[in-house]
Amino acid sequence: MSRNYRILLILGFLVGILFFFPACKSVKLLIRKPLTEMSFNQLYRNLEKNTPDFSYLSTKLSVSYQKGEKEPVQFRAQMRLKNDSIIWMSIIPAMGIEAARVVVTTDSVKLLNRMKKNYILGAYHLLDSLMHTSINYNILQSLLLGKSVSYPLADSSVSIDKQQYLLSMKMRMPAKNSFSGYHLLTQKIWLDPETFHIKELYLSESGMQDKNLHVFYDEYQNIDGRTIPLKMQIIIDANQKIIINITYRRTEIDIPHGFPFIIPHKYKRLI
């Protein structure tokens, strides 16, 4: 073997080392440490610590709504919420004039359609038909605030999935018809291992295997020490898939506002 050939081999070896070890070092930096083992109760307590404590919330929303293969519809909305009591929304399309107003309480849904000059006063089966899935005030408020849906537990477990804590729960949700007992509601929550904020939430009700709801929380914001979603996506898998993207803008907490819902006398009632 010639002297020049040996020199080239040595140089090639050294260059290989110089490239190999920094590469190994960078790979090691990308490897996350194993998550600390925690019980379901520990994780749920950490989750509850992130639950925002307030009486009133007001925010402006940018919304994209897509149903099935149709083109997404973009609109703005103003939302006001009194905790555990009422959710009020004013829906404003691109032209800047209010098109509809919605009021959701713990036992009723009201919809005022200014474009068609009619209104609806009904129970939650109306919201079910609009959302193509079973929903109530507790679920709707929890989703909008990035909270766990809370009902008595029938079963629970914890595991690790996608480098996040996965809390799996089966809960006894009261049936909408009070005479029919309860339904089992499956809830899965993927928790960020550092902040314990909800990253993903999945809901499915017993007897409705072909319908489920999946929420992704992409970003949160801190408002006066309370953590509120900033960007979220709701995916409803039902007869037709519904995708709703929501961005919160100019959120205020504990500044009381009214919840007006005045029906002009010329409007026609549909339900």
Side-chain angles (χ1 to χ4, degrees):
M1 184 182 293
S2 68
R3 182 171 177 272
N4 289 339
Y5 188 73
R6 286 198 299 270
I7 291 172
L8 287 173
L9 282 177
I10 293 169
L11 287 174
F13 179 73
L14 290 174
V15 170
I17 290 175
L18 289 173
F19 278 94
F20 179 75
F21 280 103
C24 288
K25 185 176 180 181
S26 65
V27 169
K28 286 181 181 178
L29 290 174
L30 293 174
I31 298 174
R32 291 187 176 184
K33 293 180 180 179
L35 298 186
T36 304
E37 187 174 331
M38 300 180 73
S39 69
F40 177 88
N41 288 337
Q42 286 175 306
L43 289 167
Y44 201 83
R45 280 196 297 270
N46 284 326
L47 170 60
E48 286 189 317
K49 288 177 184 177
N50 285 323
T51 300
D53 181 23
F54 61 87
S55 296
Y56 294 92
L57 179 142
S58 175
T59 187
K60 296 184 184 299
L61 307 174
S62 294
V63 183
S64 170
Y65 175 94
Q66 183 178 17
K67 181 178 178 182
E69 300 299 322
K70 295 180 181 178
E71 287 295 316
V73 177
Q74 316 284 339
F75 61 89
R76 293 180 291 115
Q78 184 178 1
M79 182 177 78
R80 299 172 185 173
L81 184 150
K82 184 178 180 183
N83 201 25
D84 297 330
S85 177
I86 186 172
I87 298 170
W88 177 97
M89 282 192 186
S90 173
I91 299 170
I92 306 166
M95 66 279 292
I97 301 172
E98 184 183 54
R101 187 168 294 189
V102 181
V103 173
V104 180
T105 65
T106 55
D107 59 4
S108 67
V109 178
K110 302 175 184 178
L111 172 63
L112 187 70
N113 187 333
R114 295 199 182 279
M115 308 298 287
K116 296 185 178 181
K117 300 188 184 303
N118 56 40
Y119 66 96
I120 294 172
L121 305 177
Y124 267 86
H125 64 80
L126 168 64
L127 196 58
D128 291 351
S129 63
L130 291 174
M131 298 290 285
H132 290 265
T133 189
S134 182
I135 201 164
N136 59 30
Y137 184 91
N138 181 16
I139 293 175
L140 183 60
Q141 177 177 275
S142 296
L143 298 183
L144 290 170
L145 298 180
K147 296 168 49 178
S148 164
V149 176
S150 181
Y151 288 112
L153 280 175
D155 191 20
S156 64
S157 64
V158 62
S159 59
I160 293 174
D161 182 53
K162 297 181 287 190
Q163 283 295 311
Q164 297 170 350
Y165 293 110
L166 172 58
L167 280 65
S168 300
M169 291 161 264
K170 290 190 183 296
M171 301 177 292
R172 298 183 182 93
M173 182 178 74
K176 291 178 181 179
N177 181 345
S178 58
F179 298 105
S180 57
Y182 63 86
H183 295 161
L184 278 179
L185 181 69
T186 297
Q187 177 175 224
K188 295 182 180 181
I189 293 175
W190 285 260
L191 279 184
D192 186 301
E194 296 181 1
T195 64
F196 298 102
H197 294 149
I198 298 176
K199 298 294 289 182
E200 297 179 32
L201 186 148
Y202 169 90
L203 291 175
S204 178
E205 187 179 343
S206 61
M208 301 181 69
Q209 287 81 4
D210 58 337
K211 295 182 179 181
N212 59 70
L213 188 149
H214 207 151
V215 187
F216 298 86
Y217 295 96
D218 298 323
E219 225 176 310
Y220 285 87
Q221 58 184 323
N222 187 292
I223 307 294
D224 299 332
R226 271 71 63 94
T227 302
I228 304 293
L230 178 63
K231 292 183 179 181
M232 61 186 290
Q233 182 184 69
I234 301 172
I235 299 177
I236 300 171
D237 277 316
N239 299 330
Q240 295 188 70
K241 179 178 283 190
I242 294 175
I243 301 175
I244 307 170
N245 291 291
I246 301 174
T247 300
Y248 291 64
R249 304 184 187 280
R250 290 191 287 174
T251 302
E252 298 176 334
I253 287 179
D254 281 337
I255 300 177
H257 293 278
F259 306 95
F261 192 87
I262 299 172
I263 303 170
H265 70 279
K266 292 184 178 180
Y267 279 35
K268 179 182 178 181
R269 180 170 180 174
L270 298 180
I271 299 177

